[in-house]
């Protein structure tokens, strides 16, 4: 169960379902499980146990029971990006929140309030982390508390100085998005992106890691399978081996309408997270009755605002602001408690949850029909 929880928290900006491949290099996530486990102090392990058990009881009893504090945290360094990806809330112009960068004061405040209980930190959400000049300082500060740190980047900022600074920061792992093996295919989705820059930057990253005799950060290329690039899967496997990245993640995409499904969903059903017959769109495994995220984790945007998870891209379920309230006042506040109760009793009534097949709950007894 620990591993399944961890896999759920390593999604890219679209939080897609992950498909595990048979090849040894192709993995289900970018995590170094051994390092992740070493970040579990007694306090953190006890806290994780509390949150996990309280979630299971909540799901089984269909009521909100909460013990412990967040064990996993996502922080958004910025919601600005250099690319214009059509299915990304930042890239397609649908971002409703104000735009900006998290400052060091806010990050330090978060660590002071939450750092002793968190063992796993994801430093990305709706933007390119390297655009925040303090991003690597965030990593360094988190590593002073022995917190496992991962991030996700579009790979356009890998010059030698930045690579060395990244390695020295202590970052444990990183997803690098690369959704094509030629420029025409790549820029169909990664609008304004330069494929050669990502490839050469990744190659340089692996070269410098070897020179510095460092194994981290683990570099995982991520390939989102879409209609225009699904035939390139063999080619991306070959390219990943040639460049020498540590892992390759083959993942699916999130769409929100039948029109988007027609344009972007691949033909191969293996790489779809939806049932789609050309007219009706339905999330696969949509019978999940609950989700552990709001019991085990939370997400803090660049301005300090707290939301339940990465599906709340525009902050429609904001629980308050970490700069204005104590952690427990938000975590156990009326808004968060109400959200968990609703999730445990009627998940499908929450709009953003209807487009998500993550979480646990298919093992639960079916709800009786009245």
């Amino acid at each position: 169960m620990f591993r399944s929880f961890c896999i759920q928290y390593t999604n890219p900006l679209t939080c897609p379902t992950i498909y595990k491949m048979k090849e040894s290099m192709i993995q289900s996530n970018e995590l170094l499980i051994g390092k992740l486990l070493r970040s579990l102090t007694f306090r953190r392990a006890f806290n994780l146990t509390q949150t996990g058990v309280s979630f299971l009881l909540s799901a089984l009893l269909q009521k909100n029971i909460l013990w412990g504090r967040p064990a996993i945290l996502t922080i958004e360094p910025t919601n600005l990006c250099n690319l214009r990806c059509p299915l990304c809330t930042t890239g397609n112009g649908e971002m409703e929140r104000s735009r900006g960068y998290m400052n060091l004061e806010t990050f330090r405040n978060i660590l002071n309030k939450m750092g002793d209980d968190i063992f796993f930190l994801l430093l990305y959400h709706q933007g390119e982390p390297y655009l925040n000049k303090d991003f690597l300082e965030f990593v360094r500060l988190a590593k002073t508390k022995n917190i496992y740190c991962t991030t996700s980047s579009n790979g356009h900022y890998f010059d030698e100085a930045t690579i060395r600074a990244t390695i020295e920061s202590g970052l444990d792992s990183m997803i690098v998005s690369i959704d094509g093996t030629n420029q025409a295919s790549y820029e169909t989705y990664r609008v304004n992106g330069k494929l050669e820059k990502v490839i050469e930057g990744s190659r340089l990253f692996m070269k410098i890691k070897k020179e510095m005799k460092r194994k981290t950060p683990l570099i995982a290329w991520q390939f989102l399978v879409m209609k225009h690039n699904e035939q390139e899967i063999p080619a991306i496997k070959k390219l990943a081996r040639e460049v020498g990245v540590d892992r390759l993640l083959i993942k699916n995409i999130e769409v929100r309408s039948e029109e988007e499904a027609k344009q972007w969903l691949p033909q191969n059903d293996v790489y779809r997270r939806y049932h789609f017959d050309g007219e009706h769109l339905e999330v696969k495994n949509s019978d999940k009755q609950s989700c552990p995220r709001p019991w085990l984790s939370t997400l803090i945007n660049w301005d300090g605002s707290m939301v339940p998870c990465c599906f709340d891209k525009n902050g429609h379920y904001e629980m308050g602001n970490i700069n204005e309230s104590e952690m427990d006042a938000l975590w156990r506040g009326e808004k968060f408690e109400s959200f968990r109760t609703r999730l445990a009793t009627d998940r499908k009534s929450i709009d953003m949850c209807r487009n998500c097949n993550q979480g646990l709950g298919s093992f639960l007894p079916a709800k009786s029909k009245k």
Side-chain angles (χ1 to χ4, degrees), residues 11-13 30 81-83 85 123-125 127-131 135 150-158 162 166 171 173-179 186 190 198 202 205 219-222:
N11 302 321
L13 303 181
E30 88 288 5
C81 190
N82 54 309
L83 303 187
C85 305
L123 282 166
Y124 63 95
H125 181 36
E128 169 54 48
Y130 279 95
L131 289 177
F135 165 60
T150 190
T151 193
S152 180
S153 171
N154 58 48
H156 281 71
Y157 298 93
F158 293 162
T162 300
T166 300
L171 183 70
S173 56
M174 180 193 305
I175 292 171
V176 178
S177 299
I178 180 165
D179 312 314
Y186 175 78
R190 300 288 167 182
V198 180
S202 299
F205 212 125
I219 303 298
W221 270 5
Q222 174 181 275

Side-chain angles (χ1 to χ4, degrees), residues 316-328:
H316 292 163
Y317 294 90
E318 183 179 329
M319 303 302 172
N321 195 294
I322 196 70
N323 290 321
E324 300 168 0
S325 303
E326 290 303 314
M327 173 57 204
D328 288 336

